[in-house]
Amino acid sequence: MLKEACSSADFVAAQLTQDNDRYGALGAHLRAHPPASVVTVARGSSDHAANYAAYLIMARLGRIVASLPMSLVTLNNAPLHAKDALAIAVSQSGQSPDVVEPIRYFREGGATTVALVNDAASPLGQSAEWTMPLHAGPELSVAATKSFITSLVAAARLVGHWQDDAEFLQAIEQLPDALRAATQFDWSPALDVLTPASRIMVVGRGISFPVALESALKFKETSVIQAEAFSGAEIKHGPMALIHDGYPLLIFATRGPSQAGQIALAEEMRGRGANVLLAAPDDVKERNLTLPVAATPDLDPIVAIQAFYVMAANLSIARGLDPDKPRHLSKVTKTN
């Protein structure tokens, strides 16, 4: 896991040298034929990447995006109106039927279908009209890392070309260097707090919420910690009742409109006795963990999760576990 996570920069660099014309053509198609609706189709870490794609599309393009409950297609046979929709699937393996079948359904119904998938020859890659390979190479660790990061980059490229935003696309080109730097950030203070922990809340908001979702999943997969992700706006609506002296919270305060609220939440939770790990850029004096930053705030989650992955792999080892072999899990999960 650690080796694959730290190789992400190289695979992102490789991805950025490929498929530019295809992304450009997809962007031109979406500008010429604006979708009437947008849905994402994904599970697990890929769904967290889809959440990031959805945030970028809504924030930068103003299009409302929904996460498709796949059982509406695979189990309920619901009569969904696919014409003029945009359906974006994200997957590492491209093999799960509940990701493949909705893309086939939407394509047959007249939607524009896009697959951000590592295995372009997979059933998903063969089912979508626009297949955009992640170019992450084989991923052996059960816990996805480099495929997740390359999914985020592919989503950013899709949005940048849809917008035809040269400045954003240039910022994406700088990600490999930012990712390499992120692997060197020292998050060892988190190990002191989390090695003995049995539970944790991970808090994000806005552009950082997908990172909170992914971090919580990795805590469960690789360190057997009961972890839940919450929006900073939701934590006071019930979850705060769980807070007691020493309860660990990891709060992501990436740059952007939500940052000030996340910093204030960290201070409030400390006042309630929580053991807060505030992850924020180096200009935030209240931070416990330093977040790397990218060329623009909308890309900060990509380098933030890179720093987290290094810590997560080391945490698993510190807890006497093998991050490459999570119990009960396999690399490819097929659900209907």
Side-chain angles (χ1 to χ4, degrees):
M1 175 185 171
L2 180 58
K3 181 179 179 180
E4 288 183 345
C6 290
S7 72
S8 296
D10 293 335
F11 288 99
V12 168
Q15 185 197 118
L16 293 175
T17 66
Q18 301 183 67
D19 308 310
N20 281 313
D21 289 346
R22 188 155 177 80
Y23 275 100
L26 175 56
H29 171 79
L30 292 172
R31 291 193 302 275
H33 307 282
S37 57
V38 184
V39 296
T40 61
V41 183
R43 292 281 189 208
S45 288
S46 293
D47 191 43
H48 306 154
N51 190 298
Y52 174 71
Y55 188 92
L56 286 182
I57 291 168
M58 288 188 279
R60 298 181 71 92
L61 288 151
R63 299 281 172 176
I64 296 172
V65 185
S67 175
L68 179 74
M70 284 92 90
S71 61
L72 288 173
V73 174
T74 61
L75 300 179
N76 291 31
N77 297 312
L80 301 178
H81 295 281
K83 186 173 176 56
D84 299 325
L86 168 62
I88 303 170
V90 186
S91 177
Q92 188 276 135
S93 71
Q95 295 186 43
S96 186
D98 63 350
V99 176
V100 176
E101 288 182 32
I103 289 300
R104 288 176 177 162
Y105 178 94
F106 273 84
R107 185 171 184 180
E108 290 169 0
T112 297
T113 52
V114 178
L116 308 181
V117 60
N118 200 32
D119 183 358
S122 65
L124 177 62
Q126 296 299 306
S127 298
E129 177 186 2
W130 297 85
T131 296
M132 317 305 267
L134 302 180
H135 299 293
E139 190 170 54
L140 302 180
S141 174
V142 171
T145 54
K146 62 178 182 171
S147 64
F148 178 73
I149 288 174
T150 51
S151 296
L152 299 182
V153 176
R157 293 177 77 190
L158 187 161
V159 172
H161 282 282
W162 186 355
Q163 279 190 293
D164 197 21
D165 186 331
E167 184 177 353
F168 187 53
L169 292 170
Q170 181 56 42
I172 293 170
E173 292 292 328
Q174 299 175 53
L175 279 170
D177 287 342
L179 286 164
R180 290 187 187 98
T183 64
Q184 302 303 311
F185 276 58
D186 180 14
W187 278 32
S188 57
L191 300 182
D192 298 334
V193 174
L194 298 177
T195 299
S198 61
R199 65 192 67 184
I200 186 173
M201 289 186 197
V202 189
V203 186
R205 193 173 184 190
I207 197 73
S208 69
F209 187 55
V211 175
L213 291 167
E214 174 63 8
S215 300
L217 177 61
K218 289 298 182 286
F219 280 133
K220 286 179 276 202
E221 284 182 326
T222 63
S223 284
V224 199
I225 296 174
Q226 179 61 50
E228 289 189 82
F230 292 100
S231 162
E234 285 290 336
I235 198 168
K236 296 182 182 181
H237 287 254
M240 192 166 63
L242 295 171
I243 299 298
H244 54 74
D245 286 349
Y247 194 108
L249 266 73
L250 172 58
I251 299 178
F252 285 95
T254 58
R255 296 180 297 170
S258 65
Q259 186 184 67
Q262 294 291 88
I263 295 169
L265 178 67
E267 185 63 24
E268 180 179 350
M269 293 299 105
R270 287 184 179 118
R272 295 179 182 274
N275 196 344
V276 174
L277 292 167
L278 175 64
D282 61 9
D283 61 346
V284 177
K285 66 179 186 302
E286 300 93 339
R287 73 190 187 281
N288 306 95
L289 307 170
T290 303
L291 281 179
V293 297
T296 185
D298 278 354
L299 299 176
D300 282 356
I302 300 174
V303 292
I305 199 64
Q306 176 71 89
F308 170 84
Y309 280 153
V310 174
M311 184 277 292
N314 288 325
L315 174 63
S316 179
I317 294 167
R319 288 170 63 86
L321 300 167
D322 183 349
D324 298 335
K325 297 177 181 178
R327 64 189 186 189
H328 312 313
L329 300 178
S330 60
K331 184 61 184 170
V332 177
T333 304
K334 296 184 179 181
T335 49
N336 292 304

Short mmCIF file of all heavy atoms in Angstrom, two decimals, residues 55-83:
data_model
loop_
_atom_site.label_atom_id
_atom_site.label_comp_id
_atom_site.label_asym_id
_atom_site.label_seq_id
_atom_site.Cartn_x
_atom_site.Cartn_y
_atom_site.Cartn_z
N TYR A 55 -18.61 17.54 -6.92
CA TYR A 55 -18.40 18.85 -6.32
C TYR A 55 -17.81 19.82 -7.34
O TYR A 55 -18.27 20.97 -7.46
CB TYR A 55 -17.48 18.74 -5.10
CG TYR A 55 -17.38 20.05 -4.34
CD1 TYR A 55 -18.23 20.31 -3.28
CD2 TYR A 55 -16.46 21.03 -4.71
CE1 TYR A 55 -18.16 21.52 -2.60
CE2 TYR A 55 -16.39 22.23 -4.04
CZ TYR A 55 -17.24 22.47 -2.99
OH TYR A 55 -17.18 23.67 -2.33
N LEU A 56 -16.81 19.36 -8.09
CA LEU A 56 -16.21 20.24 -9.10
C LEU A 56 -17.22 20.65 -10.16
O LEU A 56 -17.26 21.82 -10.58
CB LEU A 56 -15.04 19.52 -9.77
CG LEU A 56 -13.75 19.36 -8.97
CD1 LEU A 56 -12.69 18.68 -9.84
CD2 LEU A 56 -13.22 20.68 -8.44
N ILE A 57 -18.03 19.70 -10.62
CA ILE A 57 -19.01 20.00 -11.66
C ILE A 57 -20.02 21.03 -11.15
O ILE A 57 -20.38 21.99 -11.86
CB ILE A 57 -19.71 18.72 -12.14
CG1 ILE A 57 -18.72 17.83 -12.91
CG2 ILE A 57 -20.92 19.05 -13.03
CD1 ILE A 57 -19.24 16.43 -13.17
N MET A 58 -20.49 20.85 -9.92
CA MET A 58 -21.48 21.78 -9.38
C MET A 58 -20.87 23.14 -9.10
O MET A 58 -21.45 24.19 -9.42
CB MET A 58 -22.12 21.19 -8.12
CG MET A 58 -23.07 20.04 -8.43
SD MET A 58 -24.04 19.44 -7.01
CE MET A 58 -22.84 18.38 -6.21
N ALA A 59 -19.66 23.15 -8.52
CA ALA A 59 -19.03 24.42 -8.13
C ALA A 59 -18.52 25.21 -9.32
O ALA A 59 -18.61 26.45 -9.35
CB ALA A 59 -17.88 24.15 -7.16
N ARG A 60 -18.00 24.52 -10.33
CA ARG A 60 -17.36 25.21 -11.44
C ARG A 60 -18.26 25.36 -12.66
O ARG A 60 -18.06 26.27 -13.46
CB ARG A 60 -16.06 24.49 -11.82
CG ARG A 60 -15.03 24.45 -10.69
CD ARG A 60 -13.76 23.73 -11.12
NE ARG A 60 -13.01 24.53 -12.09
CZ ARG A 60 -12.06 25.39 -11.77
NH1 ARG A 60 -11.72 25.58 -10.50
NH2 ARG A 60 -11.44 26.07 -12.71
N LEU A 61 -19.23 24.45 -12.81
CA LEU A 61 -20.08 24.48 -14.00
C LEU A 61 -21.55 24.73 -13.70
O LEU A 61 -22.34 24.96 -14.61
CB LEU A 61 -19.94 23.15 -14.76
CG LEU A 61 -18.60 22.97 -15.48
CD1 LEU A 61 -18.24 21.51 -15.57
CD2 LEU A 61 -18.65 23.58 -16.86
N GLY A 62 -21.93 24.68 -12.42
CA GLY A 62 -23.30 24.98 -12.05
C GLY A 62 -24.31 23.90 -12.37
O GLY A 62 -25.52 24.14 -12.30
N ARG A 63 -23.84 22.69 -12.70
CA ARG A 63 -24.74 21.59 -13.01
C ARG A 63 -24.99 20.76 -11.76
O ARG A 63 -24.05 20.35 -11.07
CB ARG A 63 -24.13 20.69 -14.09
CG ARG A 63 -23.88 21.41 -15.40
CD ARG A 63 -25.15 21.55 -16.20
NE ARG A 63 -24.98 22.41 -17.37
CZ ARG A 63 -25.92 22.63 -18.25
NH1 ARG A 63 -27.10 22.05 -18.11
NH2 ARG A 63 -25.71 23.43 -19.27
N ILE A 64 -26.25 20.49 -11.46
CA ILE A 64 -26.59 19.68 -10.30
C ILE A 64 -26.28 18.22 -10.60
O ILE A 64 -26.65 17.69 -11.66
CB ILE A 64 -28.07 19.86 -9.92
CG1 ILE A 64 -28.34 21.30 -9.50
CG2 ILE A 64 -28.46 18.90 -8.81
CD1 ILE A 64 -29.79 21.62 -9.28
N VAL A 65 -25.59 17.55 -9.67
CA VAL A 65 -25.15 16.18 -9.85
C VAL A 65 -25.72 15.31 -8.75
O VAL A 65 -25.71 15.69 -7.57
CB VAL A 65 -23.61 16.08 -9.83
CG1 VAL A 65 -23.16 14.65 -10.14
CG2 VAL A 65 -22.99 17.06 -10.82
N ALA A 66 -26.22 14.13 -9.11
CA ALA A 66 -26.74 13.17 -8.14
C ALA A 66 -25.95 11.87 -8.22
O ALA A 66 -25.47 11.48 -9.29
CB ALA A 66 -28.21 12.87 -8.42
N SER A 67 -25.79 11.23 -7.07
CA SER A 67 -25.19 9.91 -7.02
C SER A 67 -26.29 8.88 -7.24
O SER A 67 -27.26 8.83 -6.49
CB SER A 67 -24.50 9.68 -5.67
OG SER A 67 -24.02 8.35 -5.57
N LEU A 68 -26.16 8.07 -8.27
CA LEU A 68 -27.21 7.13 -8.64
C LEU A 68 -27.26 5.95 -7.67
O LEU A 68 -26.24 5.27 -7.49
CB LEU A 68 -26.98 6.60 -10.06
CG LEU A 68 -28.00 5.57 -10.55
CD1 LEU A 68 -29.31 6.26 -10.88
CD2 LEU A 68 -27.47 4.81 -11.76
N PRO A 69 -28.41 5.68 -7.04
CA PRO A 69 -28.57 4.40 -6.33
C PRO A 69 -28.68 3.29 -7.38
O PRO A 69 -29.69 3.16 -8.05
CB PRO A 69 -29.88 4.58 -5.56
CG PRO A 69 -30.18 6.05 -5.59
CD PRO A 69 -29.59 6.53 -6.88
N MET A 70 -27.62 2.53 -7.55
CA MET A 70 -27.55 1.60 -8.68
C MET A 70 -28.64 0.53 -8.67
O MET A 70 -29.02 0.01 -9.71
CB MET A 70 -26.17 0.94 -8.74
CG MET A 70 -25.12 1.87 -9.30
SD MET A 70 -24.27 2.79 -8.02
CE MET A 70 -22.93 1.65 -7.68
N SER A 71 -29.15 0.21 -7.49
CA SER A 71 -30.19 -0.81 -7.41
C SER A 71 -31.46 -0.39 -8.15
O SER A 71 -32.29 -1.24 -8.50
CB SER A 71 -30.53 -1.13 -5.95
OG SER A 71 -31.02 0.02 -5.29
N LEU A 72 -31.63 0.92 -8.39
CA LEU A 72 -32.78 1.35 -9.19
C LEU A 72 -32.74 0.71 -10.58
O LEU A 72 -33.79 0.43 -11.17
CB LEU A 72 -32.79 2.87 -9.33
CG LEU A 72 -33.16 3.67 -8.08
CD1 LEU A 72 -32.96 5.16 -8.35
CD2 LEU A 72 -34.59 3.38 -7.66
N VAL A 73 -31.53 0.48 -11.08
CA VAL A 73 -31.38 -0.16 -12.38
C VAL A 73 -31.24 -1.67 -12.24
O VAL A 73 -31.93 -2.45 -12.91
CB VAL A 73 -30.16 0.42 -13.14
CG1 VAL A 73 -29.90 -0.35 -14.44
CG2 VAL A 73 -30.37 1.89 -13.44
N THR A 74 -30.37 -2.11 -11.33
CA THR A 74 -30.02 -3.52 -11.27
C THR A 74 -31.06 -4.38 -10.58
O THR A 74 -31.18 -5.57 -10.88
CB THR A 74 -28.67 -3.71 -10.55
OG1 THR A 74 -28.78 -3.22 -9.20
CG2 THR A 74 -27.56 -2.96 -11.28
N LEU A 75 -31.83 -3.81 -9.64
CA LEU A 75 -32.82 -4.60 -8.91
C LEU A 75 -34.25 -4.14 -9.15
O LEU A 75 -35.16 -4.96 -9.27
CB LEU A 75 -32.52 -4.55 -7.40
CG LEU A 75 -31.15 -5.10 -6.95
CD1 LEU A 75 -31.00 -4.95 -5.44
CD2 LEU A 75 -30.99 -6.56 -7.37
N ASN A 76 -34.47 -2.82 -9.21
CA ASN A 76 -35.83 -2.29 -9.29
C ASN A 76 -36.35 -2.13 -10.71
O ASN A 76 -37.55 -1.94 -10.90
CB ASN A 76 -35.91 -0.92 -8.58
CG ASN A 76 -35.76 -1.02 -7.08
OD1 ASN A 76 -35.07 -1.92 -6.58
ND2 ASN A 76 -36.38 -0.13 -6.34
N ASN A 77 -35.44 -2.11 -11.67
CA ASN A 77 -35.84 -1.86 -13.06
C ASN A 77 -36.66 -0.58 -13.19
O ASN A 77 -37.68 -0.53 -13.89
CB ASN A 77 -36.64 -3.04 -13.63
CG ASN A 77 -35.81 -4.31 -13.67
OD1 ASN A 77 -34.68 -4.31 -14.15
ND2 ASN A 77 -36.37 -5.41 -13.17
N ALA A 78 -36.23 0.47 -12.50
CA ALA A 78 -36.96 1.74 -12.52
C ALA A 78 -36.88 2.38 -13.91
O ALA A 78 -35.85 2.31 -14.57
CB ALA A 78 -36.38 2.69 -11.47
N PRO A 79 -37.97 3.02 -14.33
CA PRO A 79 -37.98 3.63 -15.67
C PRO A 79 -37.31 5.00 -15.68
O PRO A 79 -37.95 6.05 -15.80
CB PRO A 79 -39.47 3.75 -15.98
CG PRO A 79 -40.11 3.94 -14.63
CD PRO A 79 -39.28 3.13 -13.66
N LEU A 80 -36.00 5.02 -15.55
CA LEU A 80 -35.26 6.27 -15.47
C LEU A 80 -35.16 6.92 -16.86
O LEU A 80 -34.95 6.24 -17.86
CB LEU A 80 -33.85 6.02 -14.93
CG LEU A 80 -33.76 5.37 -13.54
CD1 LEU A 80 -32.30 5.15 -13.17
CD2 LEU A 80 -34.45 6.22 -12.50
N HIS A 81 -35.31 8.25 -16.89
CA HIS A 81 -35.21 8.99 -18.14
C HIS A 81 -33.74 9.31 -18.40
O HIS A 81 -33.17 10.20 -17.77
CB HIS A 81 -36.06 10.26 -18.08
CG HIS A 81 -37.52 9.99 -17.96
ND1 HIS A 81 -38.30 9.62 -19.03
CD2 HIS A 81 -38.34 10.00 -16.88
CE1 HIS A 81 -39.55 9.43 -18.62
NE2 HIS A 81 -39.60 9.66 -17.32
N ALA A 82 -33.12 8.58 -19.31
CA ALA A 82 -31.69 8.71 -19.56
C ALA A 82 -31.36 9.68 -20.68
O ALA A 82 -30.22 10.15 -20.76
CB ALA A 82 -31.10 7.33 -19.89
N LYS A 83 -32.32 10.01 -21.51
CA LYS A 83 -32.03 10.84 -22.67
C LYS A 83 -31.48 12.20 -22.25
O LYS A 83 -32.01 12.85 -21.34
CB LYS A 83 -33.30 11.04 -23.51
CG LYS A 83 -33.05 11.79 -24.83
CD LYS A 83 -34.29 11.80 -25.69
CE LYS A 83 -34.09 12.64 -26.95
NZ LYS A 83 -32.92 12.18 -27.74
#
